Amino acid sequence: MARLEVNRSGELEVFVRVVELGGFSAAARACGMTPSAVSKLVSRLEERLGARLLNRSTRQLRLTAEGCGLYERGQQVLAALDEAERCAGVQDMPRGRIKVNANVPFGQHFLLPLAPLFLERYPEVTLDIVLTDAVVDILEQRTDVAVRAGPLKSSSLLARKLGQTRMAIVASPAYLARRGTPQLATDLAAHNLLDANYARARSGWPLRLPEGDIVVPVIGNAQASDGEALRQLALAGLGLARLAAFQVRADIAAGRLQAVLEEFNPGDSEEVHAVFVGQGGHVPLRVRVFLDFLAQHVELE
């Protein structure tokens, strides 16, 4: 009976978090504990099992052979426990906080408009939304889901593709009436090109000419930190901007913006992914339903 006094599933979940997040401090933040409490818990687990699970140093943690075995089996056990609770009805209604990080255009055009519908469907869930075009460390920021555009870097994180969107060069009718509509790639040299200044921004605008692809340098009198700010500058008639098609499709349909040089559009596109922590299939139900909801409702071009 003494064995029942040990919260083995709790210990196992904390240990798996330490491995997945790479340290006691990150695991402590994720589990709502202090780093010293996490360290003591892992030490008690090692003592109870009679095996060293982690080799500790000032810079990093390394799994021992025994630790690797426990981590792999632990992921399976936790995933099975989640599934058992779901089947038993304990977790039929997702609950808890979901911290979501997204770039500003995706947030403005999809995440914020869809939030009321999601929360109406799942009233026990709380959304904590952060919009920024800076790429954040989702483990450091304790983020459950991050929506990212463009190529993904290799990491231990999982990703679910939400779609992809083509790019378009646009300007307001007022700007084009004042400065003229560019007909050729060389015409861009006489125009004000609005640039992005965030880290993941591409250098130059690609165009496809009969003689081959080129990249046009972006030279203008204004830069902005996110795609929605660039869209607002274009709507205000300041210059040309190269934006994701989903950002401007309503503006083009309403005549607020006009696409230019489409015959030279190389057709390049950005993939959009939802990135999350979930090694071994251990993804909380609240996060799973949120990912499913995004995949169902987000329509990118």
Side-chain angles (χ1 to χ4, degrees):
M1 293 297 293
R3 200 172 193 182
L4 294 178
E5 298 175 2
V6 178
N7 183 0
R8 290 185 293 161
S9 64
E11 286 184 340
L12 191 58
E13 184 163 10
V14 172
F15 173 71
V16 168
R17 281 288 192 172
V18 169
V19 177
E20 290 181 341
L21 302 182
F24 293 148
S25 296
R29 289 192 294 270
C31 298
M33 303 169 64
T34 64
S36 62
V38 171
S39 178
K40 290 177 183 178
L41 184 148
V42 173
S43 295
R44 289 198 302 269
L45 179 60
E46 289 177 322
E47 182 178 353
R48 183 164 61 81
L49 297 178
R52 178 172 288 277
L53 304 173
L54 298 167
N55 287 322
R56 301 157 174 82
S57 72
T58 56
R59 293 187 176 182
Q60 61 184 346
L61 300 176
R62 291 187 179 274
L63 282 170
T64 64
E66 293 78 10
C68 285
L70 182 64
Y71 172 60
E72 292 174 0
R73 294 298 299 273
Q75 289 178 313
Q76 298 171 9
V77 169
L78 291 172
L81 182 60
D82 276 353
E83 182 65 17
E85 289 181 342
R86 187 190 67 78
C87 292
V90 175
Q91 294 258 351
D92 275 350
M93 179 57 72
R95 56 179 52 85
R97 170 180 167 274
I98 305 174
K99 186 171 183 179
V100 186
N101 178 282
N103 61 64
V104 179
F106 184 91
Q108 293 282 357
H109 290 269
F110 292 109
L111 189 55
L112 296 181
L114 288 172
L117 178 61
F118 177 78
L119 294 174
E120 181 181 2
R121 182 175 301 180
Y122 302 107
E124 299 298 319
V125 172
T126 300
L127 287 179
D128 181 354
I129 299 172
V130 178
L131 301 184
T132 174
D133 274 49
V135 178
V136 302
D137 185 328
I138 74 172
L139 301 180
E140 181 68 25
Q141 298 296 321
R142 298 176 62 184
T143 298
D144 295 294
V145 178
V147 179
R148 293 179 176 169
L152 294 177
K153 294 182 179 179
S154 177
S155 74
S156 61
L157 301 173
L158 300 182
R160 182 165 179 177
K161 184 177 177 180
L162 300 178
Q164 59 188 43
T165 181
R166 63 188 293 273
M167 308 297 291
I169 299 174
V170 297
S172 72
Y175 173 86
L176 296 175
R178 187 172 71 251
R179 298 287 296 271
T181 301
Q183 303 296 326
L184 301 171
T186 53
D187 295 342
L188 291 177
H191 283 269
N192 195 38
L193 310 186
L194 306 175
D195 200 6
N197 60 17
Y198 45 87
R200 65 178 183 85
R202 182 171 183 169
S203 177
W205 293 355
L207 293 175
R208 178 156 296 165
L209 307 183
E211 58 271 25
D213 291 356
I214 64 169
V215 176
V216 176
V218 181
I219 301 174
N221 63 4
Q223 295 181 330
S225 62
D226 63 73
E228 274 305 289
L230 287 174
R231 172 176 165 266
Q232 290 298 327
L233 292 176
L235 285 168
L238 185 59
L240 296 163
R242 189 171 187 266
L243 301 170
F246 75 80
Q247 285 183 260
V248 296
R249 58 188 171 194
D251 295 321
I252 292 174
R256 294 185 294 266
L257 291 175
Q258 179 179 328
V260 301
L261 298 176
E262 277 294 280
E263 62 269 37
F264 303 110
N265 192 324
D268 61 320
S269 61
E270 281 192 334
E271 291 189 346
V272 178
H273 292 86
V275 180
F276 56 100
V277 178
Q279 293 181 343
H282 181 51
V283 181
L285 179 60
R286 67 183 188 280
V287 175
R288 292 205 305 269
V289 298
F290 182 72
L291 293 169
D292 290 342
F293 182 86
L294 288 182
Q296 179 182 357
H297 290 86
V298 171
E299 295 183 4
L300 295 164
E301 291 183 350

